[in-house]
Amino acid sequence: MQIVPPSVERLIEELGKLPGVGPRTAERLAFHILKNDPNRASALGAAVEGLHAGVRSCRICHNFAESVECAVCTSPNRQRSVIAIVEEPFDVVAIEKTGLYQGLYHVLGGVISPIDGVGPRQLEIESLLERISDGGVDEVILATNPSLEGESTAMYIRGQLEPTGVTVTRLARGLPVGGDLEYADQITLGRALQGRQAF
Ligand SMILES: [Zn+2]
């Protein structure tokens, strides 16, 4: 006997694949959606459906963008001589939330990780070097996560930047080692940003 209708089962299964959502939470969410106004369920479905069509990668910094270039790159209020290098677009969100950063970004799309088959060529490092060689950049802040991979990626990029003569800094210690920028609280991340040191 099937207690849960297959369509609900399917939703529970999909929700359960989301990070941080266990089977119990997936069940609760599914029943919540079922119990509520069908229009709200449709709105949720439409938002998920249209997600990939509406989001692309900024052609300059590879941050999330709604058009060819992202909101940061097109803003007239940003300091264009400083670029923060981050792993993922979520890290841009985390740094923006501190309200302490006025420069631009460059999103690598991950970290160097030989175990996962990710080398420098799989990341947006070449495009970073092109941006630097275009001129106008005085400082590059290596804002990769304080993990083993984040650290070795930062060191690799520092090596690549050496011939350019640009100042290279790294977020100050104080971020929990092995932690993610994405989960650091705003004050900790803000301090790490302001206390950045030559690297
Ligand atoms: Zn951009």
Side-chain angles (χ1 to χ4, degrees):
M1 192 176 79
Q2 179 115 34
I3 299 168
V4 178
S7 51
V8 180
E9 195 67 67
R10 201 167 64 131
L11 180 59
I12 293 171
E13 203 185 302
E14 288 306 321
L15 290 169
K17 291 176 187 166
L18 297 172
V21 179
R24 293 293 302 259
T25 306
E27 232 173 70
R28 232 183 42 223
L29 289 170
F31 287 127
H32 173 83
I33 293 167
L34 184 64
K35 253 189 351 205
N36 274 278
D37 183 358
N39 287 327
R40 285 176 59 186
S42 302
L44 175 65
V48 174
E49 181 87 38
L51 187 63
H52 283 97
V55 179
R56 49 169 115 179
S57 161
C58 171
R59 72 165 169 192
I60 299 173
C61 74
H62 311 284
N63 182 18
F64 289 143
E66 297 256 325
S67 58
V68 182
E69 289 167 11
C70 76
V72 176
C73 286
T74 51
S75 166
N77 304 319
R78 307 296 298 216
Q79 192 186 348
R80 312 199 85 79
S81 58
V82 185
I83 297 181
I85 315 292
V86 295
E87 295 177 19
E88 302 288 351
F90 303 106
D91 300 326
V92 172
V93 177
I95 294 178
E96 284 299 289
K97 277 194 196 152
T98 69
L100 293 170
Y101 183 66
Q102 287 305 310
L104 303 178
Y105 293 95
H106 194 86
V107 181
L108 296 172
V111 276
I112 297 171
S113 174
I115 294 172
D116 303 309
V118 182
R121 298 173 72 89
Q122 275 78 48
L123 304 173
E124 292 294 346
I125 294 176
E126 197 62 45
S127 59
L128 168 68
L129 298 176
E130 278 167 29
R131 276 180 85 180
I132 307 295
S133 70
D134 286 346
V137 178
D138 300 327
E139 181 185 354
V140 167
I141 305 169
L142 294 165
T144 48
N145 289 323
S147 63
L148 198 63
E149 291 86 0
E151 207 63 53
S152 54
T153 304
M155 282 198 271
Y156 176 82
I157 294 174
R158 178 183 61 181
Q160 295 292 303
L161 290 174
E162 206 150 31
T164 68
V166 70
T167 300
V168 180
T169 56
R170 178 95 173 104
L171 293 184
R173 308 284 159 171
L175 286 172
V177 172
D180 274 354
L181 247 58
E182 193 187 336
Y183 301 119
D185 68 89
Q186 290 170 33
I187 295 168
T188 307
L189 184 53
R191 282 197 192 127
L193 195 58
Q194 288 183 316
R196 64 187 185 264
Q197 292 147 0
F199 181 69

